Amino acid sequence: MPLQTTEAIVIGGHNLGEADRIIPFLTRRLGKIRAVAKGARRVRSRYGGTLELFTLGQLVFFESPNRTLHKINEFSVVEPFAGLKADLGRLSHGAYLVELAGASIEEGESNEEIFLLLRDALTLLVAHDEPRLLRSFEIRLLRIVGYLLELYRCLVCRSVPGPGTQPAISPTRGGLVCSHCLSRAPDGLPVTVESLGFLRSALHGGLDQTLVAPLAHPHTDNLQEVLRVCVTHFFGKRLRSVAFLSLVE
Ligand SMILES: [Zn+2]
């Protein structure tokens, strides 16, 4: 069995047999993988609580020939993101980010951009438990997986919605629809000018930049609704924590 080394984030985990754990990781070099931590539930386990949700570390594992379930050789913690477990808000938002990142990639498929986006978002979430961070993460992740929302021109008539008009975002069309063309996009959700401005800057700026500009409550609610339908449209049944998140927010 060849030995592999890569940076990795723990994105879940469940028990196997009497003493083992199966840990899914999002890795920097090798995408999403699952690996067995032998004896992880024994009192004197050498993993000693390191394989907790969100933990970023250096993973060394034996690659199995069939590539479905590998075996952990060593996991050394780089950043435990302990702050994310300090309150229910951060915990559920962190769980949502992890789940969304995990759903965006098939097992064995590699995508360094998704790993880096998740790592940066978890880092920011420790200090800024803000809806804007989640929204920024969502639209950037959608872009990485190939669902780039059109935010400038109407996807039906190609016009640029002017000031004072009420455009919408249509998940099935993949972005903006002007008020005149709404009848041709029945799933269109009204989007405010402020939300649209946020989406544009979130798509093109850094994750942390979107935390600088304040955004009033009605717009954060509007953004959440718009992106939730886009995320659900794209990832569909692969997500579980969307429902959980709505209980907390
Ligand atoms: Zn139009």
Side-chain angles (χ1 to χ4, degrees), residues 153-161 176-182 184:
R153 288 180 177 275
C154 169
L155 282 164
V156 180
C157 70
R158 305 303 300 165
S159 70
V160 177
L176 207 60
V177 176
C178 78
S179 51
H180 305 294
C181 300
L182 260 183
R184 296 182 55 191

